[in-house]
Amino acid sequence: MEFAVQSPLFQNIRKSEVNQMGAYCKGCGVMLQNERKDQIGYVPTLDAIYCQRCFKIRNYGDVVFSMQQGIESNKTFSKINEIDAIVFWIVDLFAFESSLIPKLNQKLPGKDIIMVLTKRDLLPKTLSIEKISSFVQERLAQENIKVKDILLCSDLLKQSAEAIQSIEFLEQAIDYYRQDKDVIFMGMANVGKSTILNHLNQNKVLTTSCNPGTTLDLIPIVQDGYTIYDTPGIENGHSVLTYLSNKDLKTVIPVKTIRPFVSQIFEDQSFAAAGLARLDIKVKGKASVVAYFSRSVSIHRGKLENADSLWQNHLNGMLSPCLDTSLLTMHTYHSKMKGDKMDIVIHGFGWFCVSGAIEEISVKVHKGIYVTFRKAMI
């Protein structure tokens, strides 16, 4: 099996330095080696079951080597296509837009795909299952992605009755759909694949963290008569999460139900979501802006005429975390109001929902980060 990772951390490892038995880390799937401390897969002794990187993540939350970028997705898709398996595609409902994989059916030709929605518990409880289903099906149709079924997982970070029920339902779906095939769990980085698999296997063998790029290669998990494969997260170069530090990831990734930040506006206003996104709204009457971000992300509201001064004086200070040190390096998206309510989604970060008498919308983000204007989810 070749590595799915193309990174300087893998360069210059001679074959003689790699574990000759071909042992792989149980936590991330990388091949173990005991010669190069500065390389992925290092272990002090070759009888270890976890690489040093996984050991430190699991025990101290210390990401020694960041693999947020460098995992080659095409090789991951190639390996998935080599296995006679049904694909369970894990999608983060909160970060839905950045979890979508364009042209997924073309990348996995002939594969049956089951969509599994995670992190429902982060969204308001007033959002019904019916509305979630309608929203997801409409977005899949717009992206021309075809799936065999859509499943919904509740809060898996807690040992709640809902979490147990979700896992039991997922087990039943695996038994029903796999039809003597193996099973592959795949999706974008940080959507919760390894967390689900740890629940399914009733252990915590797989290494999990808030960092994209925790799983580095396919990990086979032998079941009774078939095999489940965990896979590396598909890299998303247009998501905020790909570029933030470990410390800042803990700020922007929500772990508790979102508390919407609600504003009624009657004049042109600007909203800052930390230092990562700026929303400018020009109105022609009364309007509403609701922000859906992690509780740890500060939302600052003020007059549009004062926004440039605020960002020039406080970016990377009060407005943090951030990926830019100047407005000049940020990219601006523009849109008119579409429909009665519209979401403005900053990929991997959160979104604003706007409604009312809005004349013009502009959004500033780090260059390369995608912004999607969509029909409101909530």
Side-chain angles (χ1 to χ4, degrees):
M1 180 183 291
E2 295 181 1
F3 288 117
V5 181
Q6 300 296 311
S7 164
L9 293 172
F10 280 97
Q11 294 174 3
N12 302 318
I13 299 182
R14 300 186 303 275
K15 288 184 178 180
S16 61
E17 296 174 342
V18 176
N19 182 356
Q20 297 301 309
M21 296 181 66
Y24 292 83
C25 173
K26 282 190 174 182
C28 69
V30 73
M31 184 177 283
L32 301 176
Q33 54 88 17
N34 69 338
E35 294 292 331
R36 301 292 298 274
K37 289 184 178 182
D38 60 340
Q39 302 289 343
I40 291 292
Y42 174 77
V43 287
T45 60
L46 292 178
D47 58 353
I49 61 173
Y50 290 106
C51 68
Q52 196 78 346
R53 175 176 178 267
C54 278
F55 179 83
K56 292 191 175 182
I57 291 175
R58 296 168 67 87
N59 291 281
Y60 308 109
D62 182 11
V63 181
V64 181
F65 300 121
S66 174
M67 295 303 299
Q68 288 168 267
Q69 301 177 57
I71 300 178
E72 192 171 330
S73 298
N74 287 338
K75 287 197 173 183
T76 299
F77 281 118
S78 294
K79 290 183 179 183
I80 291 172
N81 284 320
E82 290 172 0
I83 301 170
D84 184 22
I86 186 167
V87 173
F88 279 69
W89 174 31
I90 314 303
V91 173
D92 182 336
L93 194 54
F94 174 76
F96 185 83
E97 300 301 329
S98 58
S99 295
L100 291 177
I101 301 176
K103 300 181 178 179
L104 179 61
N105 297 104
Q106 291 93 319
K107 290 173 181 175
L108 299 174
K111 287 277 192 286
D112 287 334
I113 300 171
I114 310 297
M115 173 186 264
V116 181
L117 299 169
T118 63
K119 307 186 184 181
R120 160 67 183 91
D121 48 289
L122 297 179
L123 302 180
K125 292 182 179 179
T126 53
L127 180 61
S128 68
I129 293 176
E130 291 75 19
K131 192 164 185 178
I132 292 172
S133 177
S134 176
F135 166 82
V136 170
Q137 290 185 60
E138 185 173 336
R139 287 296 291 119
L140 289 178
Q142 291 168 350
E143 297 295 326
N144 196 28
I145 297 175
K146 294 177 174 58
V147 299
K148 203 172 183 70
D149 201 354
I150 301 172
L151 310 178
L152 184 63
C153 277
S154 189
D155 188 356
L156 298 180
L157 294 179
K158 300 176 182 177
Q159 293 297 327
S160 63
E162 291 84 359
I164 294 171
Q165 187 176 32
S166 292
I167 292 302
E168 289 176 349
F169 186 52
L170 185 55
E171 289 174 335
Q172 293 169 10
I174 290 172
D175 290 340
Y176 180 78
Y177 283 114
R178 73 176 190 85
Q179 297 179 346
D180 296 325
K181 294 183 178 181
D182 288 332
V183 175
I184 293 174
F185 278 65
M186 60 83 62
M188 289 292 191
N190 206 54
V191 294
K193 299 181 300 298
S194 299
T195 299
I196 288 179
L197 287 171
N198 280 340
H199 277 277
L200 280 172
N201 290 282
Q202 298 181 346
N203 59 39
K204 295 184 178 180
V205 171
L206 300 175
T207 300
T208 60
S209 79
C210 65
N211 290 75
T214 301
T215 303
L216 300 180
D217 213 328
L218 269 66
I219 303 176
I221 306 166
V222 177
Q223 306 293 306
D224 185 12
Y226 68 101
T227 300
I228 295 179
Y229 292 88
D230 191 13
T231 60
I234 304 301
E235 185 179 308
N236 185 347
H238 305 292
S239 167
V240 168
L241 302 183
T242 303
Y243 303 98
L244 290 174
S245 68
N246 182 41
K247 176 184 175 183
D248 291 339
L249 284 170
K250 292 178 181 178
T251 298
V252 306
I253 295 176
V255 294
K256 296 181 179 179
T257 303
I258 299 300
R259 289 176 179 165
F261 178 94
V262 182
S263 296
Q264 303 297 325
I265 62 175
F266 302 88
E267 59 182 350
D268 297 349
Q269 295 279 286
S270 181
F271 296 81
L276 293 169
R278 168 175 157 179
L279 171 67
D280 293 343
I281 301 285
K282 292 184 178 180
V283 300
K284 48 187 177 182
K286 180 182 177 181
S288 173
V289 178
V290 183
Y292 295 90
F293 295 89
S294 166
R295 296 186 188 187
S296 301
V297 171
S298 298
I299 307 295
H300 299 273
R301 169 189 170 183
K303 292 183 178 180
L304 179 55
E305 63 191 50
N306 299 328
D308 284 351
S309 175
L310 173 72
W311 281 74
Q312 289 166 4
N313 294 327
H314 297 288
L315 184 59
N316 202 25
M318 181 175 69
L319 301 182
S320 49
C322 61
L323 290 171
D324 298 87
T325 56
S326 168
L327 283 171
L328 299 176
T329 61
M330 299 179 77
H331 179 73
T332 304
Y333 290 82
H334 299 277
S335 178
K336 295 292 186 180
M337 188 67 190
K338 302 173 184 176
D340 297 329
K341 290 175 68 177
M342 182 173 75
D343 286 343
I344 303 159
V345 184
I346 297 90
H347 282 221
F349 186 31
W351 73 92
F352 295 95
C353 180
V354 298
S355 60
I358 294 175
E359 186 173 24
E360 187 178 335
I361 299 165
S362 63
V363 187
K364 294 183 184 296
V365 293
H366 182 65
K367 191 173 293 185
I369 303 302
Y370 279 175
V371 171
T372 294
F373 300 92
R374 71 185 185 194
K375 181 180 177 181
M377 175 192 281
I378 300 174

